[in-house]
Each structure stands twice: as structure tokens, then as C-alpha cells.
């Protein structure tokens, strides 16, 4: 039996800790400053790790790269809006806000690459697709959130400044220092991974503490929680089916098909949590990230099964 990912366990523990022991008062203020600093460090490290050479080499496969981007930033928002239009009463407004925010996020980097490797797929293409998605997401996600959610003040001058300071500038700094620090980062991958994941856990705990204080669990019943899981599963299932059909229709080799399915269906917790923290008020961010936390766990479980299926298929073809 496959062991549960320690990070997923820690994520659940962060939510539980915030549910029973939420931070309040001055502690909240201190943690907000700390989380802002952690987010900047995390994106700085992303800038160091993401290799420009891998992006440039695989951009020639424009059909695959374009489809991954289209699935991430066009297909997901359209599906989210359609589900909302068909089932507006299934979830409350705050939870739908989280679903639509999830649909605007970029793909993951680490898990997309790791699962493509497990599936014996086109790893280089997945590195390129996931990297391009995350870089583009810094600019596209806030605009999409503003358009899809029709909310005032989400895409404002202050939001632009906050994103530039907390996400873009550290990332650019990491890219500029990559020639100097890349070897160091490669030698210390475990330390960087722990730092990244710890930052996400801290942001989740802080955001969820706000939500608990605002009454998220009184606000969300078990029935609504089940409905949220259903919507998350429906989104993932629809995108997986569409990406599979697109890959078949366009005659993609099996290894490219894997990249399209695994990169095009993912949503990034690492980018989503910090962006929610920047784009939404503290009292709302905890509600917004709950659908993303659930989707993150569902996508890892389902996509691992898909990767194993392709691994068996590709192994038998050799």
C-alpha cells in the first residue's frame, strides 16, 4: 500500500490546528508579516530552480504547449462558470468564489514533472509547460480573477503592486541570480523543498485562522462539504476527459499525451495560496483556498493512478 504523502498530512493538520487553535490579535499580525516574507523567499527559490534552457528548447512543440496553456487559463474558467450557472444553489457564494478562483490558477510544477516522469512521458515538455504556466500565471491569474469573478478591487493598482513585490520581483531576482545559485539550489533541493512546503503550511494556517474566526465551519455544513468535493471531482474529471480526447484527436504521441493530461488538469497550491493571500481580504482568503486544498489532494490521487496506468502501457511497449 502506498504511503500517504507527508505534505498532504501536514496540510490537513494545518487546517485542523487553525480550526481548533486559530491565531488571533497580535499573533495574527506577526504571522501575516512572516507569511509575506516566506512567500517572497518561496518565489525567489522558484526563480532559481526554473531553468530557462528547458523552456526555450521545448517551446518548439507549440501545439502541446499552447493546449496546456489553453486548458489551464481558458477551459477551466469556462467549465467553472458553466457549473456555477447550472448549479448556483449547490454551494454558497463564498465557496463558489473559491471554485472560480481555483479555475484561474496556473498548473503545478513539481507534481506535474514528477508524475510525467512516473508515467514515462515527455518530461522535458512537462517542465516547459508547467514553468510557462507558472510564469504566465503571475500576470494572467489576477486578470482572470477580476474578469471571472466580476469583483471590484481584485485587479487594482494596489493588487498589482502587491503581486509585483511579493511574487514577481523575488522570482525575477531568482532568475537573475540563477547562474550563481543554481548549483547551490541543486545541492540543497531537500532544504528548499522543506522551506517551500513550510511556507505554504504557514499561509494556509494563517488564512484558515481568519476563516475560522469568521465562522467557516458554522457556515459550511457536511452536505455542502460533500457538494464541494463533488464539484472539485467534476472539474477534474471533465478536464481529464477533454485533454485525453484532444490528445487523441490531434494524434499526439503517447508521451506527449501524458504531458497534456497531467499538466493541463493540475492547479497549483504553491501559487494559489499566496495569490489568494494577496488578492483577497484576510477574512475571505480562508474561504477561497478551501476548494483548492481539496482539489490539490484529489488531483494528486487521481493523477497518480493515471501515471501508473501510462507507466504500465509504456513499459509493455518497450
Amino acid at each position: 500500500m502506498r504511503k500517504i504523502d507527508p505534505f498532504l498530512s501536514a496540510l490537513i493538520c494545518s487546517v485542523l490546528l487553525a480550526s481548533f487553535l486559530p491565531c488571533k490579535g497580535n499573533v495574527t499580525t506577526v504571522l501575516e508579516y512572516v507569511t509575506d516574507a516566506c512567500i517572497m523567499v518561496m518565489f525567489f527559490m522558484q526563480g532559481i530552480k526554473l531553468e530557462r534552457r528547458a523552456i526555450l528548447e521545448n517551446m518548439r512543440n507549440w501545439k502541446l504547449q499552447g493546449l496546456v496553456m489553453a486548458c489551464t487559463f481558458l477551459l477551466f474558467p469556462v467549465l467553472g462558470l458553466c457549473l456555477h450557472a447550472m448549479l448556483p444553489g449547490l454551494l454558497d457564494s463564498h465557496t463558489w468564489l473559491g471554485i472560480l478562483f481555483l479555475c484561474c490558477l496556473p498548473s503545478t510544477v513539481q507534481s506535474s514533472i514528477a508524475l510525467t516522469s512516473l508515467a514515462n512521458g515527455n518530461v522535458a515538455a512537462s517542465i516547459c509547460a508547467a514553468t510557462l504556466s507558472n510564469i504566465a500565471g503571475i500576470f494572467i491569474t489576477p486578470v482572470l480573477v477580476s474578469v471571472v469573478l466580476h469583483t471590484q478591487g481584485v485587479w487594482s493598482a494596489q493588487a498589482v503592486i502587491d503581486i509585483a513585490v511579493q511574487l514577481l520581483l523575488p522570482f525575477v531576482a531568482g532568475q537573475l541570480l540563477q547562474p550563481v545559485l543554481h548549483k547551490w539550489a541543486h545541492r540543497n533541493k531537500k532544504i528548499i523543498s522543506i522551506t517551500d512546503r513550510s511556507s505554504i503550511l504557514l499561509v494556509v494556517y494563517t488564512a484558515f485562522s481568519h476563516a475560522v474566526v469568521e465562522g467557516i465551519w458554522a457556515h459550511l455544513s457536511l452536505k455542502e462539504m460533500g457538494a464541494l468535493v463533488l464539484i472539485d471531482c467534476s472539474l477534474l474529471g471533465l478536464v481529464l476527459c477533454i485533454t485525453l480526447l484532444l490528445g487523441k484527436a490531434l494524434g499526439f504521441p503517447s508521451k506527449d499525451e501524458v504531458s497534456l493530461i497531467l499538466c493541463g488538469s493540475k492547479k497549483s497550491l504553491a501559487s494559489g495560496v499566496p495569490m489568494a493571500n494577496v488578492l483577497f481580504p484576510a477574512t475571505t482568503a480562508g474561504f477561497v483556498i478551501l476548494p483548492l486544498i481539496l482539489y490539490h489532494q484529489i488531483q494528486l490521487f487521481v493523477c497518480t493512478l493515471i501515471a501508473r496506468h501510462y507507466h504500465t502501457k509504456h513499459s509493455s511497449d518497450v
Side-chain angles (χ1 to χ4, degrees):
M1 184 179 290
R2 189 172 181 267
K3 292 182 179 180
I4 297 174
D5 187 336
F7 178 64
L8 294 183
S9 301
L11 198 60
I12 294 168
C13 289
S14 292
V15 173
L16 291 173
L17 182 62
S19 299
F20 293 103
L21 292 171
C23 59
K24 298 177 183 178
N26 292 332
V27 176
T28 302
T29 305
V30 172
L31 280 181
E32 284 174 353
Y33 284 116
V34 173
T35 53
D36 287 348
C38 288
I39 289 167
M40 294 175 73
V41 170
M42 184 168 65
F43 274 79
F44 175 72
M45 293 301 181
Q46 288 291 334
I48 294 173
K49 288 189 295 181
L50 297 180
E51 294 189 46
R52 281 163 283 180
R53 186 178 63 181
I55 301 172
L56 295 172
E57 286 178 355
N58 285 278
M59 282 182 71
R60 288 173 293 182
N61 192 349
W62 60 268
K63 193 181 291 186
L64 172 59
Q65 303 302 332
L67 274 176
V68 172
M69 293 286 281
C71 289
T72 302
F73 296 116
L74 288 177
L75 177 61
F76 262 102
V78 168
L79 290 176
L81 287 170
C82 288
L83 287 171
H84 182 240
M86 291 188 296
L87 304 164
L90 189 63
L91 302 170
D92 61 64
S93 58
H94 281 93
T95 312
W96 272 119
L97 188 71
I99 290 288
L100 295 175
F101 172 69
L102 179 159
C103 291
C104 299
L105 291 171
S107 182
T108 62
V109 177
Q110 287 91 343
S111 63
S112 291
I113 296 167
L115 289 175
T116 302
S117 177
L118 173 63
N120 290 331
N122 190 338
V123 176
S126 289
I127 291 172
C128 180
T131 302
L132 282 175
S133 176
N134 271 259
I135 294 171
I138 294 174
F139 304 97
I140 295 174
T141 294
V143 178
L144 267 180
V145 168
S146 183
V147 172
V148 170
L149 302 184
H150 302 292
T151 51
Q152 297 297 320
V154 172
W155 182 246
S156 62
Q158 188 59 48
V160 174
I161 292 169
D162 289 343
I163 288 169
V165 170
Q166 291 193 40
L167 310 184
L168 182 58
L169 288 182
F171 179 83
V172 171
Q175 282 282 292
L176 292 173
L177 291 172
Q178 188 181 80
V180 179
L181 296 175
H182 182 69
K183 289 183 179 179
W184 172 86
H186 184 74
R187 289 195 305 268
N188 295 277
K189 285 191 294 185
K190 287 187 178 180
I191 295 173
I192 292 172
S193 177
I194 291 170
T195 302
D196 286 351
R197 293 185 171 203
S198 298
S199 300
I200 296 168
L201 294 174
L202 184 58
V203 177
V204 167
Y205 170 72
T206 306
F208 240 84
S209 291
H210 283 295
V212 170
V213 172
E214 293 294 317
I216 185 172
W217 296 125
H219 186 71
L220 200 64
S221 66
L222 283 175
K223 181 181 177 181
E224 289 169 321
M225 197 71 164
L228 174 55
V229 172
L230 177 63
I231 292 292
D232 273 354
C233 289
S234 299
L235 266 175
L236 179 60
L238 285 168
V239 175
L240 287 172
C241 289
I242 291 170
T243 50
L244 175 62
L245 291 173
L246 282 172
K248 299 290 186 189
L250 294 170
F252 278 7
S254 183
K255 290 180 182 290
D256 285 358
E257 185 181 289
V258 168
S259 293
L260 175 60
I261 292 170
L262 295 181
C263 294
S265 63
K266 293 282 196 358
K267 287 296 177 179
S268 175
L269 186 72
S271 295
V273 172
M275 284 188 177
N277 208 41
V278 171
L279 292 172
F280 297 96
T283 53
T284 307
F287 291 87
V288 169
I289 64 172
L290 180 59
L292 175 60
I293 290 172
L294 290 173
Y295 186 87
H296 177 78
Q297 298 185 60
I298 295 166
Q299 74 181 4
L300 286 181
F301 176 75
V302 174
C303 289
T304 298
L305 295 179
I306 292 171
R308 286 178 172 174
H309 164 74
Y310 274 100
H311 176 81
T312 303
K313 177 184 176 182
H314 292 153
S315 297
S316 64
D317 290 343
V318 176

